[in-house]
Amino acid sequence: MAFPTETVYGLGADATQDHAVAKIYAAKGRPQFNPLIAHVPHAEAAFELGEFSEAAKRLAECFWPGPLTIVVPRRNQCTVSLLASAGLPSLALRVPQHETALDLLRAVGRPIVAPSANPSGRISPTTADHVRQYLQLDMILDGGPCTVGVESTVISFLDDMPTLLRLGGLARAEIEDALSTILAEPRAGPLHAPGQLESHYAPSAKLHLNVAEPAEGEVFLAFGPSQHRYNLSPTGNVVEAAANLFRMLHEIDAKHPKSIAVARIPNVGLGEAINDRLKRAAAPR
Ligand code: TXA
Ligand code: MG
C-alpha cells in the first residue's frame, strides 16, 4: 500500500515482516543493497529500535516529526527486518509529519518501511495520482499533494562525525545549527545512498540545466518571474520550487518532449537539494 508523507508518497510495508519488505524491493525493482527507511509515530519508538547518541537524540528532538531521516546502529532487540537494513548493522529511522502517515503508524502499531513509491530510477511521486500511474496497488491513501515535495534529508551517526548521506527537505544549515557542527561528506563505498547514484531521479526526456532561454522544441521549466507555462516558483521561492519539482517534471515528461530545459535555481537552502536532484536527473544514462 502507498501512503502520503510531507516529503513524497511512500510504498509501505510492515517493517517486522521480511516477506512484506521483500515485496517492496520487488515492486520497486530496487537493487537489494539499497536499505529502506523505517517510519515510526514518535521519537521514543525510534529510540527503542536504534542506538541514538546524544547528538542524534538532539537532532531527533529538534526536527521530528519532519523531513529528516537518521541512520544509527541497530539495537540488539530491534524488531525491524534485516532485509530492510539490506543486511547492514545500521537502521534508517524517520518520524514523518503528515497527519495521514501518523494516523497510519499509530493504527498499525509497528514500524513501517517505505521507500518513495516509484519504480527504481524514476521521479518520486508527490500525489496519489503519480503513484497510481507507477504501481498496481490494492490501496493508496490519498493525502493530497506533498507539501515538501523532495525526500527527507538523511544524516548518519555511524562515524565520529555526523554525515550528510542525502540532501533533502531539511536544509543542511538548519541541521548544522542544531548540532553546532559542520556535517561530514560520506566516504566512498558500498554504503552509498542511492540518492548518490549518478542517474537516479530521471525523467525519460533529456534534461538541460541552468538554461536562460530554451531551444526550439524544448519544454522550459522556469523559476522566478516569466511567461512560461511551467514555473517551479514564479516568486523565486526555493521551498515552493521543491514542492513543485517532481510534479512538474512528471507533467512535462508525460508529454514526451524531446528535451526539458530547466532555469538556473539558486543554490541556497532547499535549492541545494533541488540542484542535486536535477544534476542526477540530467546525468548521462
Ligand atoms: O522522504 C523520504 O525519505 C521518503 C518518504 C517515503 O519517507 N522515503 C524515501 O525512501 O525517500 P528511499 O528508500 O527512496 O530512500 C531511502 C534513503 C536511501 O538514500 C538509502 O540509501 C538511505 O535512505 N538509507 C536507508 N537505510 C540506510 C542505512 N542503513 N545506511 C545508509 N543509508 C540508508
Ligand atoms: Mg527513492
Side-chain angles (χ1 to χ4, degrees):
M1 63 96 74
F3 65 97
T5 80
E6 73 281 17
T7 57
V8 299
Y9 274 71
L11 179 62
D14 182 339
T16 66
Q17 303 291 326
D18 285 332
H19 67 269
V21 177
K23 276 175 139 176
I24 298 280
Y25 284 113
K28 292 267 303 180
R30 159 177 289 225
Q32 294 285 32
F33 50 76
N34 289 348
L36 304 172
I37 299 169
H39 298 70
V40 288
H42 44 72
E44 289 65 37
F47 299 161
E48 279 173 25
L49 299 171
E51 204 84 60
F52 280 66
S53 63
E54 283 309 309
K57 272 201 170 136
R58 174 143 30 103
L59 210 59
E61 274 150 15
C62 281
F63 297 113
W64 279 351
L68 168 73
T69 293
I70 299 179
V71 178
V72 291
R74 292 170 64 102
R75 280 190 185 282
N76 284 338
Q77 72 271 27
C78 179
T79 53
V80 172
S81 155
L82 257 182
L83 187 59
S85 287
L88 300 172
S90 58
L91 182 63
L93 289 152
R94 174 160 116 80
V95 179
Q97 202 164 30
H98 199 292
E99 272 312 315
T100 309
L102 290 171
D103 284 345
L104 174 70
L105 288 165
R106 284 188 287 252
V108 170
R110 296 183 190 188
I112 294 180
V113 283
S116 50
N118 54 281
S120 223
R122 303 299 303 278
I123 305 165
S124 295
T126 55
T127 65
D129 231 35
H130 294 161
V131 180
R132 201 160 23 238
Q133 285 163 26
Y134 276 147
L135 302 167
Q136 292 249 310
L137 299 173
D138 293 339
M139 179 160 76
I140 302 172
L141 297 180
D142 189 343
C146 302
T147 53
V148 174
V150 291
E151 295 92 338
S152 59
T153 302
V154 182
I155 305 290
S156 110
F157 284 90
L158 300 177
D159 303 312
D160 307 339
M161 293 276 289
T163 303
L164 176 64
L165 293 185
R166 181 177 73 181
L167 288 160
L170 182 64
R172 177 208 297 262
E174 287 203 53
I175 297 169
E176 291 182 337
D177 276 357
L179 292 174
S180 310
T181 178
I182 299 294
L183 291 170
E185 298 297 324
R187 285 178 298 203
L191 295 196
H192 263 188
Q196 293 163 356
L197 294 179
E198 268 303 309
S199 172
H200 186 64
Y201 301 91
S204 335
K206 250 180 110 105
L207 268 194
H208 296 137
L209 307 184
N210 302 315
V211 173
E213 271 305 318
E216 194 56 47
E218 271 187 329
V219 175
F220 190 53
L221 184 53
F223 178 88
S226 112
Q227 299 301 321
H228 288 94
R229 155 134 195 241
Y230 295 101
N231 195 325
L232 289 171
S233 169
T235 59
N237 177 323
V238 286
V239 177
E240 184 186 23
N244 285 329
L245 179 68
F246 288 131
R247 184 175 50 78
M248 289 193 175
L249 284 176
H250 272 287
E251 262 176 55
I252 298 173
D253 207 35
K255 298 180 184 299
H256 307 291
K258 192 173 84 230
S259 59
I260 305 171
V262 186
R264 200 186 71 78
I265 315 291
N267 211 36
V268 292
L270 288 192
E272 204 185 353
I274 295 172
N275 284 323
D276 175 74
R277 296 294 189 280
L278 285 171
K279 206 169 78 197
R280 288 174 211 293
R285 280 161 249 154

